[in-house]
Amino acid sequence: MITLSGVLKTYSSEVAIGPVDLSIPPGGITALVGPNGAGKSTLLVMIGRLLGMDAGTIEVAGYDIARTHSADLAKILSVLRQENHFVTRLTVRQLVGFGRFPHSKGRIKAEDEAIISRSIDFLDLADLEGRYLDELSGGQRQRAYVAMVLAQDTEYVLLDEPLNNLDMQHSVQMMQHLQRAATELGRTVVIVLHDINFASHYADYICAVKDGGVVSFGAPDELMRDEVLTAIFDTEVRVVEGPRGRIAVYY
Amino acid sequence: MADLTIAPVRHSGPLPTARSRRRYSAVVTALALGAVLLGFGVLAWDNPMPLGSEGFWTIARMRATSLAVMAVVGFCQGIATVSFQTVTNNRIITPSIMGFEALYVLVQTSAVFFLGAAGIMAVQGVGQYLLQVCLMVGFAALLYGWLLSGRRGNMQIMLLVGIILGAAMGAASTFMQRLLTPSEFDLLMARLIGSIANADATYLGVAVPLAAVAGGLLWSQTRRLNVLALGRETAINLGVSHQRQTMVVLLLTSVLMAVSTSLVGPLTFLGFLVAMLSYQLADTHDHRHLFPVAWLTGFVVLAGAYFVLKHVFYAAGSIGVIIEIVGGGFFLSYILRKGRL
């Protein structure tokens, strides 16, 4: 369970995120959706303690993130931004190996290697594991970073727009990987998504964010309605019944 | 029939393939061999006494001070620059342009400006050496503490302010130098060109322990340095308190830089060159493998420059000049050929 109470981040007198009260249930995929600048990523990075908040508390699995040691939090919570500084002389496998740092403190043992191998295979990176990061495409590098946070073996996984840089095939594969991580590995995945249709199809819960506040939270079926989506995105949206669930049409 | 193909063991070590491990060992061996040869060359070349005689060793002992100084300076500059570039995520700048050298120049210039020719003597001695080191570390601590702590902590602004303060101190020194008499200026210049001859053997008693402690502490942080290299957000995600860790590393770096600069004077280009060469030679992200290569490279570059200057140009000491010419050329050709930093 992730619980936000009275979370507030002020940028200037006009621009502020919150106060937000929100509970994200454990298990499954929760998608944060909303227009640009709504505060989705800000909320996500505040939960991941990458950004300090001005007021309020956030609890993850019962731990107050402001009071818990960062090194302990790293064992229950992992967070990945969309832009990552990368070291050129680092192979995919070495990067994924860093995911074990909270547990191994840099001394990688045999059981760590087994977990690293599993994460790499999970994201179909076995053929690329010896490649250096600067020899990969943006999408491959994105997958390598996701493999790293999976190797971290945390109950909660926060991802900021992991579908950026990915083409149609890899977007779908990434969502399928994350769905398997949620169901097979029992992770709680919180993810910022731009495409409402991906959220509709893969997420168990959708959290709509607008103007720095949460405007609705619920199962995809509750949010996938003409009037709800039109209000969230300020765009004329029609929801139609597709062959595999509801689809928003807004073109 | 037994399966003849041995499945490659998958591992995440710092040197991923057998080839990279062989390459690393070869590089370290070659550097160590170069260091020993150059060290012996410095001691024995042009030594008028027959090899092994008592007189030979007397002369060699006198020259050994220079070797020790080069070992300390190579250690400090190499390790400090690699660590500094890692925590700042920047491979273009070095700690020396962050005001350290400008502060050294300012102290030396002020001494001559206010005390005249006698001032040169006033800034020499173990006490004065220690004082100068403390001044530099204090300056760094103030700069980092002020600009990196708190919520507005920002690396880019810290670097910019450091460079601007360095330029301001440099300008103040230049102004004072214009007002000196030619003979005072001459005395001062000898101190301002980085030179092994600047070092006094008595300083080593302070410099070696200081460098060893700061270097040892940095060695204990190498695994965290590897994580810091991944950038702020990844480091925090992995549970490393980025801000505190960065400050610790920068402070240790400033101790190393202060030890080196106070010992031999400014060697702006050395740290940069050594770090760049070390990245290429070691070819790994792991600081436990980078540090030894950086030290050895630092020593080889210094000793090589010293040897050439002393026995080819008969200008012992002022190694800064040759490091910048030969090192810069070598670096340019390497980068243009390989195309990556």
Side-chain angles (χ1 to χ4, degrees):
Chain A
M1 181 86 115
I2 298 175
T3 317
L4 287 74
S5 31
V7 170
L8 182 71
K9 178 82 194 170
T10 319
Y11 285 103
S12 68
S13 53
E14 292 104 64
V15 185
I17 310 285
V20 172
D21 296 286
L22 175 68
S23 289
I24 298 174
I29 297 178
T30 301
L32 298 176
V33 300
N36 288 342
K40 314 177 290 285
S41 292
T42 306
L43 276 180
L44 191 90
V45 296
M46 282 199 288
I47 299 171
R49 48 104 170 74
L50 297 181
L51 179 71
M53 51 197 157
D54 295 319
T57 54
I58 297 177
E59 278 188 11
V60 177
Y63 294 92
D64 183 337
I65 62 152
R67 295 212 192 126
T68 312
H69 258 289
S70 190
D72 296 329
L73 273 179
K75 294 178 193 168
I76 52 173
L77 168 86
S78 53
V79 55
L80 182 65
R81 294 294 319 257
Q82 41 179 315
E83 297 291 336
N84 286 292
H85 171 92
F86 67 91
V87 189
T88 48
R89 296 322 277 171
L90 198 61
T91 64
V92 169
R93 191 172 176 94
Q94 287 169 343
L95 176 75
V96 178
F98 274 110
R100 299 306 299 161
F101 187 83
H103 308 272
S104 68
K105 298 293 170 213
R107 288 183 192 83
I108 291 179
K109 296 189 257 324
E111 63 258 40
D112 295 311
E113 293 286 7
I115 294 170
I116 294 163
S117 294
R118 212 181 322 139
S119 297
I120 287 174
D121 297 341
F122 196 86
L123 282 154
D124 294 334
L125 286 165
D127 294 340
L128 300 175
E129 73 173 14
R131 285 250 209 119
Y132 286 97
L133 291 188
D134 57 351
E135 299 164 350
L136 298 180
S137 71
Q140 290 168 331
R141 209 178 297 144
Q142 184 88 321
R143 256 157 60 214
Y145 272 96
V146 172
M148 182 190 81
V149 296
L150 285 186
Q152 212 174 323
D153 208 11
T154 55
E155 196 183 335
Y156 294 86
V157 180
L158 313 178
L159 303 169
D160 189 6
E161 298 197 30
L163 303 188
N164 255 14
N165 293 326
L166 297 189
D167 58 21
M168 198 185 280
Q169 178 200 5
H170 288 103
S171 295
V172 170
Q173 281 175 2
M174 174 67 79
M175 288 313 295
Q176 286 168 348
H177 291 315
L178 294 177
Q179 205 170 36
R180 276 174 51 219
T183 52
E184 291 172 25
L185 309 176
R187 311 288 176 84
T188 303
V189 181
V190 183
I191 178 175
V192 172
L193 282 181
H194 251 296
D195 190 333
I196 183 70
N197 290 326
F198 271 104
S200 158
H201 191 77
Y202 291 101
D204 298 285
Y205 307 96
I206 296 179
C207 174
V209 183
K210 191 182 183 188
D211 298 331
V214 172
V215 288
S216 46
F217 184 94
D221 283 353
E222 296 170 40
L223 270 84
M224 292 299 284
R225 297 171 197 280
D226 293 1
E227 68 281 6
V228 178
L229 291 184
T230 300
I232 293 170
F233 290 99
D234 290 322
T235 303
E236 194 60 38
V237 181
R238 273 199 58 205
V239 176
V240 295
E241 208 58 56
R244 299 183 207 162
R246 293 186 189 174
I247 293 173
V249 180
Y250 47 87
Y251 311 100
Chain B
M1 264 277 301
D3 192 0
L4 286 177
T5 55
I6 300 160
V9 181
R10 298 172 73 180
H11 77 100
S12 321
L15 301 164
T17 58
R19 190 162 160 266
S20 67
R21 282 189 290 278
R22 274 199 303 278
R23 186 180 173 283
Y24 182 82
S25 314
V27 162
V28 171
T29 313
L31 281 174
L33 216 66
V36 169
L37 275 179
L38 279 168
F40 183 74
V42 169
L43 294 183
W45 193 273
D46 224 8
N47 191 327
M49 306 304 278
L51 188 71
S53 69
E54 202 172 314
F56 173 86
W57 287 113
T58 314
I59 293 174
R61 252 194 298 281
M62 285 157 62
R63 295 179 178 181
T65 306
S66 305
L67 273 189
V69 169
M70 289 189 275
V72 171
V73 171
F75 179 82
C76 291
Q77 296 263 351
I79 289 178
T81 309
V82 169
S83 308
F84 184 86
Q85 297 193 335
T86 295
V87 295
T88 53
N89 280 337
N90 190 324
R91 289 194 168 177
I92 307 294
I93 52 170
T94 73
S96 51
I97 55 164
M98 292 288 301
F100 284 100
E101 301 194 335
L103 190 62
Y104 171 86
V105 172
L106 186 63
V107 168
Q108 301 284 332
T109 308
S110 308
V112 176
F113 183 79
F114 290 111
L115 303 173
I120 270 295
M121 296 313 289
V123 287
Q124 288 182 34
V126 176
Q128 284 87 331
Y129 172 76
L130 254 182
L131 199 70
Q132 200 161 267
V133 169
C134 291
L135 199 66
M136 289 185 190
V137 175
F139 167 76
L142 273 179
L143 185 68
Y144 302 149
W146 167 40
L147 291 167
L148 281 184
S149 62
R151 295 182 52 220
R152 298 253 170 258
N154 185 320
M155 184 69 73
Q156 300 302 324
I157 290 178
M158 189 276 287
L159 295 176
L160 189 63
V161 172
I163 292 170
I164 290 172
L165 285 180
M169 287 190 280
S173 305
T174 310
F175 176 70
M176 282 192 274
Q177 284 164 12
R178 302 281 298 182
L179 303 179
L180 292 177
T181 66
S183 59
E184 285 170 341
F185 184 73
D186 223 31
L187 273 172
L188 180 64
M189 278 322 280
R191 298 284 306 168
L192 293 189
I193 296 175
S195 167
I196 297 299
N198 277 348
D200 191 319
T202 52
Y203 296 177
L204 284 174
V206 186
V208 171
L210 267 177
V213 168
L217 286 172
L218 273 174
W219 179 261
S220 74
Q221 303 291 320
T222 40
R223 295 202 166 92
R224 294 215 177 96
L225 276 171
N226 293 343
V227 174
L228 287 177
L230 298 174
R232 176 183 173 272
E233 287 169 343
T234 311
I236 295 176
N237 169 47
L238 295 174
V240 171
S241 41
H242 182 263
Q243 189 170 308
R244 226 194 69 218
Q245 201 63 42
T246 302
M247 297 259 257
V248 168
V249 171
L250 286 178
L251 267 182
L252 292 174
T253 303
S254 74
V255 173
L256 291 177
M257 288 309 292
V259 165
S260 160
T261 307
S262 302
L263 199 58
V264 297
L267 289 173
T268 317
F269 202 61
L270 177 69
F272 177 71
L273 177 73
V274 168
M276 281 301 160
L277 287 176
S278 309
Y279 300 137
Q280 311 293 346
L281 291 172
D283 202 27
T284 172
H285 69 285
D286 181 39
H287 287 76
R288 294 217 158 196
H289 287 81
L290 276 172
F291 278 7
V293 171
W295 184 5
L296 282 171
T297 308
F299 180 80
V300 167
V301 168
L302 279 169
Y306 182 83
F307 189 80
V308 167
L309 264 179
K310 185 165 173 159
H311 299 297
V312 179
F313 297 108
Y314 303 102
S318 307
I319 47 174
V321 183
I322 200 151
I323 287 175
E324 290 182 18
I325 295 172
V326 178
F330 180 72
F331 170 70
L332 268 183
S333 71
Y334 199 101
I335 284 297
L336 291 178
R337 203 155 48 84
K338 268 220 158 175
R340 69 172 152 73
L341 287 177

